[in-house]
Structures are given as structure tokens and as C-alpha cells.
Amino acid sequence: MNHDNYDPAYITDILKTTKTVALLGASPNPDRPSNSVMRFLLSKGYRVFPVNPGQAGKEIHGQKVYGKLADIPEPVDMVDVFRAAEYLDGVVEEALALPQKPSVIWGQLSVRDDAAAAKAEAAGVKVVMDRCPAIEYPRLVG
């Protein structure tokens, strides 16, 4: 897939079919983008599981924080990655090792690793990189 330009229908389909999101790198700090994006996703009806090992067991926006993807007690549709690009390959490895793989791995703004994306796509997982669902949703879904 060409990750320089996404067909709007590709992203729209992801946003409309996703119901559960693991938000990797969730922060309790309201000034952090991950915090506001989590709030936005919750406001649009998504179930969001914040993931942050330093906050595990606490709550962000009323949702229990998990230490790693494997700790989430149910499968998720999408892994939304708020980590530096160099960690994306490890996130893909962790996601692919889950008993039920997510349908989508979404790298936030500036999070891009084409080799990691190719690995996920080879395993049947859709990938979006260098985009934000809180920007794409109002633009494409309404």
C-alpha cells in the first residue's frame, strides 16, 4: 500500500467499522494529544482501552489503563499508536502476537515505519500512518 496518500474510502471504512480501540501511549495529562484524541474517540462512541505501563491500573477518562496490549481483556479492532516511529515495529510485533489480531494499526501524526507497515499488512492487518483519527473523522465521517 502507498502510505503517502490514502483513498478517503479506505480511512472512512476503518473509522466506520472500528468499535474498540487500544490507545497505546495514552496520557492522563490533558495537554497531551493522546489525551484529547482519547476523549474525542470516546465522544464518538468508540470503546477505548488506554495502554501505558506507567499508568497501568489507574484511569484516564474513566477507562482502566492497561500496561500492554496483551493485558486488554478482549480483542480490539484498532491499535492507535502514540509512540515514536522507532517503536512502531515493536508495536506491530506485539499486536500480531495477540490471540486475535486487530484489524487496523494506526500510527499517529509523525508515526511512520514502512517496513513495520509491510509486516502488519502481510499478516492481514490494515495500516494507516502519519494521520490522526480525530482529524480524519470530522473530515470523512462527519
Side-chain angles (χ1 to χ4, degrees), residues 92-105:
V92 167
E93 291 288 334
E94 189 180 351
L96 295 181
L98 294 170
Q100 187 172 331
K101 295 182 300 220
S103 301
V104 180
I105 295 175

Side-chain angles (χ1 to χ4, degrees), residues 14-57:
I14 289 169
L15 293 171
K16 286 185 172 181
T17 59
T18 294
K19 304 291 181 228
T20 55
V21 178
L23 199 138
L24 199 61
S27 173
N29 180 344
D31 295 331
R32 303 290 301 167
S34 65
N35 186 283
S36 58
V37 169
M38 181 177 170
R39 186 175 353 98
F40 176 85
L41 293 172
L42 288 166
S43 79
K44 295 303 179 189
Y46 295 97
R47 290 187 58 223
V48 182
F49 299 92
V51 179
N52 180 329
Q55 298 293 318

Side-chain angles (χ1 to χ4, degrees), residues 88-135:
L88 190 57
D89 188 64
V91 170
V92 167
E93 291 288 334
E94 189 180 351
L96 295 181
L98 294 170
Q100 187 172 331
K101 295 182 300 220
S103 301
V104 180
I105 295 175
W106 187 302
Q108 280 291 332
L109 299 175
S110 80
V111 179
R112 180 170 177 161
D113 178 334
D114 288 1
K119 187 185 304 181
E121 290 166 341
V125 177
K126 294 177 182 176
V127 177
V128 176
M129 295 184 292
D130 195 26
R131 297 283 189 280
C132 178
I135 294 170

